[in-house]
Amino acid sequence: MSSITGRSAVEQGPGPSGDNARGRRRLGDTLFGGGAGLAGVIVIVIVVFTGVFLAISAVPSVLDDKVNFLTSTEWQTSAGNLRFGILQILWTTVSISVIAMIIAVPLGVANALFLTQYAPKWLARPAATVIDLLAAIPSIVYGLWGIQVFAPHLTGLQTFLNDVLGWFPLFAGPVSTGTVFIAGIVLAVMVLPIITAMSREVFAQTPAANKEGALALGATKWEMIRTAVLPFGRAGVISAAMLGLGRALGETIAITIIVSSVAPGAGFFASWLQGGETFASKIANNAAEFNNPESTGAYIAAGLVLFVLTFVVNALARIVINRRKAFA
Amino acid sequence: MSAVQTPERELPAALADSRGQGGRKVRNSIATVVVVLAFVIAVIPLVWILWTVIERGASLLVDSTWWLNSQRGITPRIVGGGAYHAIVGTLLQALATAVIAVPLGIMSAILLVEYGASRIARVVSFTVDILSGLPSIVAALFIYAFWITTLGFDRSGFAVSLALVLLMVPVVVRSTEEMLKLVPNELREASYALGVPKWKTIVRIVLPTAFSGILTGVLLGLARIMGETAPLLILVGYTQSINMDLFGGNMAALPLMINNDRQQALEPAVERVWAAALTLVLIVLVLNIAGRAIARFSSLKK
């Protein structure tokens, strides 16, 4: 329940200076303020350490890498013979997230409109809770359901896509069961609650005057939404999509379960109808290989790239929403 | 309502392209159908997943064996045993996480709201944003690089808890912050006017007033971390036996149990996978719904 718009309810005044009658600071205030400050410092240190430690562990392996870290599709991490590159992993990661976004953003916006503009009062709140519950289901259950229950239903669709669009690299065969395409759809369901909740919040704040004005000019409900609600919520929706993307990029276990990993050394392939590995699933699949610093470093390098990716995406989301606040 | 026929009349851009009344009505109806359909599409997976785990896993849960026994000595061929070892592991790791994350989160939130003018508060707010977007696998890798590689500790349940702290803190901070902001300033001012020091005002007036909301945040944070799998894969090994020691040896947890047994094709093991999934979903949903219910009856309202 994070508020992402508007100013805080409390414009915090400074409160008492904490001086007692003799003009000395009270011990209790010093201790308590210090405690709060300490907690803050710990949080800052944790985040700084995360970046620092990942970098320290990753750098030696990247320096020892015999192939280009950014453009190679190989992944050999035996000590003394490091040949690893992230191109294929990056492609799979981005592909799955893009598919998820293509589905989840329109669906999330439509859901937010339903909850704020269409649903009757008695339904709006329970309906919102139901969508929030989608976020409560653990990833591993999504993964299990995705591969064992949902994927079989998509075999026909995938074969059809391959038959019709097979000439296009994204839909090239051979079609496998645990594909990037299916993972993207399941991931769309997983990030839907985030996008819905945030869009809902901005749509709900549309000034009533704007909506009434549109209706008074004779606009239909849909025209009112297009002219008043959507423009007002645009920044919030972009920001929501970014946060959803950040979540999608880092999803681990559902992807690990759903997407079948591909034999190493296959060379680059672009198809969405085959398996692959994302940064997160690559690391999860090979946790057993963390037996020497060199090969561990290779995986930590992948983790570091993921960290940077999600950081950039989330930072952009914050920037968009903060610029909006300035005008609110 | 006669149709506007004069093209010179200034209409909003969105209305200008559809001057026929019929076309506008049709579009409006289409939009309504699409929006309602979107909601139905969103509900389908929720119902489908819940129905799947209940249908495939419920039969084992009604037996007390499931709640009281571990998987010790059970092979994929054998029907029997339970998830006690995994349930205990999940609860212990969550408890250890909460012991660290809750005080840290609440104190950080107090810093943000009650001492919000300071520069450190702005930096903390920014870092909490980073933490809330941190992928769980990256948190796990950090703990691996720091706790296991650098400090030389073994993989253990506690290492998992440390990674989970990183995921729980932002949830607790943000929800506590929300609640503290809702506490009316008049309460603080009345307390100051009586000569009560600032720290005592916060501890005795502000925190109790916001208590239910803080509790909600803690419950939602717990629900989030209990379903996490990535840190478990990297930071602790799975065991079929009961291990209550957070600091030594392999330790089971529900997600690990699911992940370990899902590669089996034999019927008894498959059934246990779904039963473990249902158990996990039940725990998480109960926490979630409890959190929301408490928020509903909170004295502070937006």
Side-chain angles (χ1 to χ4, degrees):
Chain A
M1 290 210 344
S2 70
S3 164
I4 44 125
T5 50
R7 309 269 294 273
S8 71
V10 187
E11 280 305 323
Q12 195 46 42
S17 63
D19 292 357
N20 62 10
R22 284 194 300 276
R24 247 178 294 153
R25 278 186 69 81
R26 286 199 186 86
L27 181 65
D29 276 338
T30 312
L31 287 178
F32 193 81
L38 181 69
V41 169
I42 291 174
V43 171
I44 295 171
V45 165
I46 287 176
V47 172
V48 173
F49 261 38
T50 304
V52 168
F53 266 89
L54 292 181
I56 287 176
S57 319
V59 164
S61 299
V62 176
L63 290 179
D64 269 356
D65 197 352
K66 308 266 193 305
V67 291
N68 188 314
F69 178 64
L70 294 175
T71 58
S72 166
T73 57
E74 288 185 74
W75 196 271
Q76 278 280 342
T77 58
S78 43
N81 182 29
L82 289 175
R83 306 174 67 81
F84 62 96
I86 57 168
L87 188 64
Q88 185 69 57
I89 309 175
L90 183 65
W91 171 254
T92 308
T93 306
V94 172
S95 294
I96 292 181
S97 298
V98 165
I99 297 169
M101 287 296 112
I102 290 173
I103 301 168
V105 172
L107 203 57
V109 170
N111 267 305
L113 287 176
F114 174 78
L115 297 174
T116 55
Q117 314 294 330
Y118 284 89
K121 264 212 175 343
W122 57 268
L123 180 67
R125 191 175 247 201
T129 307
V130 163
I131 292 187
D132 283 344
L133 284 184
L134 275 175
I137 294 176
S139 311
I140 191 162
V141 177
Y142 271 110
L144 217 51
W145 170 82
I147 194 67
Q148 298 197 8
V149 182
F150 183 62
H153 287 274
L154 284 190
T155 320
L157 174 63
Q158 295 204 112
T159 318
F160 170 78
L161 281 174
N162 178 241
D163 286 346
V164 178
L165 298 166
W167 49 270
F168 193 58
L170 288 183
F171 301 101
V175 181
S176 59
T177 23
T179 61
V180 166
F181 180 67
I182 291 173
I185 298 176
V186 173
L187 207 48
V189 179
M190 294 173 72
V191 298
L192 182 70
I194 300 176
I195 298 177
T196 305
M198 247 180 102
S199 307
R200 190 183 77 212
E201 216 169 309
V202 283
F203 291 160
Q205 289 175 335
T206 313
N210 296 15
K211 287 161 57 174
E212 285 160 8
L215 294 172
L217 288 170
T220 59
K221 186 161 201 167
W222 170 239
E223 286 159 350
M224 179 274 283
I225 288 171
R226 267 186 58 185
T227 51
V229 179
L230 290 180
F232 181 83
R234 188 177 297 127
V237 170
I238 292 171
S239 181
M242 289 292 217
L243 286 181
L245 179 62
R247 174 92 181 61
L249 290 169
E251 176 51 46
T252 307
I253 193 69
I255 309 287
T256 308
I257 294 179
I258 293 172
V259 186
S260 43
S261 46
V262 178
F268 183 80
F269 59 93
S271 176
W272 284 355
L273 298 178
Q274 292 171 31
E277 277 178 312
T278 66
F279 287 107
S281 72
K282 185 90 191 168
I283 297 162
N285 274 329
N286 297 290
E289 276 195 41
F290 291 11
N291 46 19
N292 68 70
E294 263 197 292
S295 31
T296 310
Y299 291 102
I300 290 184
L304 190 61
V305 176
L306 176 61
F307 181 40
V308 172
L309 261 183
T310 49
F311 175 78
V312 169
V313 167
N314 284 310
L316 285 173
R318 301 285 167 198
I319 289 168
V320 170
I321 203 69
N322 286 337
R323 275 191 25 214
R324 181 177 179 279
K325 265 186 205 172
F327 297 114
Chain B
M1 289 282 292
S2 64
V4 182
Q5 294 297 346
T6 46
E8 292 79 15
R9 180 77 59 90
E10 280 190 44
L11 289 167
L15 310 190
D17 57 357
S18 55
R19 269 197 303 281
Q21 283 290 7
R24 294 176 51 208
K25 274 215 180 78
V26 168
R27 264 171 219 215
N28 190 39
S29 312
I30 291 175
T32 308
V33 170
V34 166
V35 163
V36 173
L37 205 62
F39 178 68
V40 173
I41 290 173
V43 174
I44 290 172
L46 181 71
V47 175
W48 195 353
I49 291 171
L50 290 180
W51 191 75
T52 304
V53 290
I54 291 169
E55 184 208 24
R56 299 189 181 193
S59 58
L60 287 178
L61 265 67
V62 291
D63 190 350
S64 67
T65 317
W66 178 257
W67 303 97
L68 300 174
N69 287 294
S70 73
Q71 288 286 305
R72 192 180 181 131
I74 305 276
T75 67
R77 293 182 184 286
I78 311 176
V79 174
Y84 178 76
H85 62 311
I87 296 169
V88 165
T90 291
L91 293 178
L92 279 175
Q93 285 162 15
L95 187 70
T97 307
V99 166
I100 304 171
V102 171
L104 193 60
I106 291 179
M107 285 309 271
S108 300
I110 288 172
L111 176 75
L112 293 182
V113 178
E114 308 293 329
Y115 301 86
S118 56
R119 184 182 308 165
I120 188 175
R122 278 200 298 278
V123 181
V124 168
S125 187
F126 174 71
T127 47
V128 169
D129 276 347
I130 297 179
L131 271 185
S132 53
L134 187 78
S136 55
I137 192 97
V138 175
L141 277 179
F142 160 58
I143 296 299
Y144 191 92
F146 170 67
W147 186 252
I148 294 174
T149 308
T150 311
L151 298 183
F153 289 94
D154 282 336
R155 303 198 315 160
S156 66
F158 185 69
V160 175
S161 292
L162 284 178
L164 295 178
V165 166
L166 269 63
L167 305 172
M168 187 168 174
V169 162
V171 181
V172 176
V173 172
R174 287 293 172 229
S175 59
T176 306
E177 189 188 8
E178 273 315 291
M179 276 342 257
L180 295 182
K181 280 178 182 170
L182 291 180
V183 175
N185 247 347
E186 288 77 2
L187 286 180
R188 293 187 183 90
E189 282 157 8
S191 173
Y192 294 152
L194 292 170
V196 180
K198 184 167 183 169
W199 70 272
K200 211 169 213 170
T201 305
I202 295 171
V203 173
R204 304 293 291 274
I205 311 284
V206 178
L207 287 179
T209 312
F211 178 77
S212 62
I214 296 172
L215 190 60
T216 296
V218 171
L219 291 177
L220 292 181
L222 279 174
R224 179 186 164 183
I225 60 165
M226 281 185 176
E228 282 292 349
T229 314
L232 290 157
L233 294 176
I234 291 178
L235 297 169
V236 73
Y238 177 69
T239 169
Q240 293 188 305
S241 313
I242 299 167
N243 175 16
M244 298 268 197
D245 184 5
L246 278 167
F247 295 92
N250 289 349
M251 194 169 185
L254 282 166
L256 266 188
M257 179 177 175
I258 297 169
N259 194 51
N260 191 66
D261 290 358
R262 74 183 167 87
Q263 287 114 351
Q264 306 292 346
L266 293 156
E267 193 51 48
V270 172
E271 203 172 24
R272 281 196 290 269
V273 168
W274 288 104
L278 177 58
T279 312
L280 184 60
V281 168
L282 275 179
I283 293 176
V284 169
L285 284 188
V286 163
L287 280 170
N288 240 288
I289 290 164
R292 285 166 201 284
I294 290 170
R296 185 72 60 88
F297 299 116
S298 151
S299 56
L300 293 168
K301 282 278 180 278
K302 280 196 175 177

